[in-house]
Amino acid sequence: MIYLVEDEKNIRDLVVYTLNNTGLEAQGFPKASDFWEAVNNRIPSLVLLDIMLPDEDGLEILKKLRSKKETKKIPIVMLTAKSSEYDKVIGLDAGADDYIPKPFGMMELVARVKAHLRRAGEEEVEENGEYTAGKLVVNPAKHKVLVDGSEVTLTYKEFELLCYLLENRDVVLTRDKILSKIWGYNFDGETRTVDVHIRMLRQKLGSEGDIIETIRGIGYKISK
Ligand code: CA
């Protein structure tokens, strides 16, 4: 889940709409207090921050996120209004992962957001050697999967599939994309193979099976 704090309704709606349309789940907030309430309920996988906001400004939000253990490593992208503001913010080196000057193109925003999500996923594995999602722990190097502490045995393809989804957390992967990545081929009629493996995978993951979401007519994703 991506959170956006932006007081300009037009931009907020457009960004949320665009992200949702490209398969990224996003929620927008007009001010910091609403954002913090949402963070308490669910830690986002990436945060987009406007700088000039009615209550707390984007830089203060950034500082707070960086100071808390649970939110310290979330990728944060600042949306800066003017080039002078952009220069100033860059100069401050406030610790954001990226800065996008307004006005920005939606394609560019989506590309950068996806790149940060991917990098965050890779870093998670580099640091702990494993992915976690809910009660699920996956260690790619050891080829090991735990659900609530108990080991789950997966076939090679099921394991690859699970890792591929975790690597691209929050991104909807189409059946075609999954098929060509995991099975190395891509033709219509065989996408059912993906559905069958997803079904098995969900079964084997038991209580955590529902972390794999079906995006109807498109494909699958993991977003926890
Ligand atoms: Ca603003």
Side-chain angles (χ1 to χ4, degrees):
M1 175 65 84
I2 296 165
Y3 287 166
L4 159 72
V5 192
E6 166 67 76
D7 56 339
E8 267 169 79
K9 190 176 185 300
N10 291 344
I11 300 179
R12 191 171 67 239
D13 289 349
L14 181 61
V15 169
V16 168
Y17 174 83
T18 307
L19 291 173
N20 284 338
N21 246 346
T22 48
L24 295 161
E25 232 181 316
Q27 227 177 310
F29 308 94
K31 56 182 198 291
S33 48
D34 300 338
F35 166 74
W36 290 119
E37 210 179 300
V39 170
N40 281 339
N41 287 326
R42 182 173 176 183
I43 304 277
S45 47
L46 183 141
V47 177
L48 295 165
L49 289 177
D50 179 31
I51 295 186
M52 299 296 285
L53 292 163
D55 46 3
E56 241 175 305
D57 72 30
L59 292 168
E60 286 174 53
I61 298 176
L62 168 66
K63 223 197 273 167
K64 270 197 200 166
L65 286 169
R66 288 292 186 242
S67 69
K68 292 182 185 175
K69 189 174 162 278
E70 318 83 64
T71 55
K72 209 172 155 169
K73 289 183 178 156
I74 298 173
I76 299 170
V77 177
M78 309 299 291
L79 307 172
T80 62
K82 310 179 278 283
S83 63
S84 60
E85 191 179 283
Y86 178 76
D87 294 343
K88 200 172 130 200
V89 170
I90 293 268
L92 280 174
D93 190 20
D97 293 277
D98 206 353
Y99 301 88
I100 304 183
K102 289 179 190 171
F104 45 81
M106 285 300 137
M107 293 309 286
E108 189 196 354
L109 179 76
V110 168
R112 292 220 208 166
V113 162
K114 284 190 174 169
H116 285 292
L117 288 172
R118 203 174 312 121
R119 199 171 309 148
E122 283 161 11
E123 271 169 21
E124 189 184 344
V125 171
E126 271 167 30
E127 272 169 35
N128 322 313
E130 54 197 26
Y131 294 108
T132 55
K135 290 176 189 162
L136 172 72
V137 179
V138 177
N139 187 316
K142 293 182 186 160
H143 215 281
K144 208 169 177 181
V145 180
L146 298 174
V147 173
D148 208 4
S150 315
E151 191 162 356
V152 175
T153 309
L154 299 182
T155 65
Y156 180 74
K157 291 292 187 209
E158 286 162 359
F159 186 82
E160 293 287 294
L161 179 56
L162 182 59
C163 287
Y164 185 42
L165 286 163
L166 285 165
E167 232 168 74
N168 292 281
R169 200 178 298 207
D170 272 336
V171 177
V172 180
L173 299 171
T174 63
R175 290 178 173 81
D176 284 336
K177 223 171 169 179
I178 295 172
L179 199 61
S180 63
K181 169 82 180 178
I182 307 299
W183 281 269
Y185 53 79
N186 189 354
F187 50 88
D188 287 343
E190 283 303 319
T191 50
R192 223 183 67 85
T193 308
V194 176
D195 300 334
V196 172
H197 279 78
I198 291 277
R199 201 182 310 138
M200 278 310 293
L201 197 50
R202 278 188 179 135
Q203 247 173 49
K204 289 188 179 179
L205 296 180
S207 65
E208 295 303 283
D210 64 359
I211 65 164
I212 304 172
E213 287 174 50
T214 303
I215 311 302
R216 218 206 294 196
I218 306 173
Y220 299 97
K221 74 163 177 175
I222 285 180
S223 63
K224 252 187 210 173

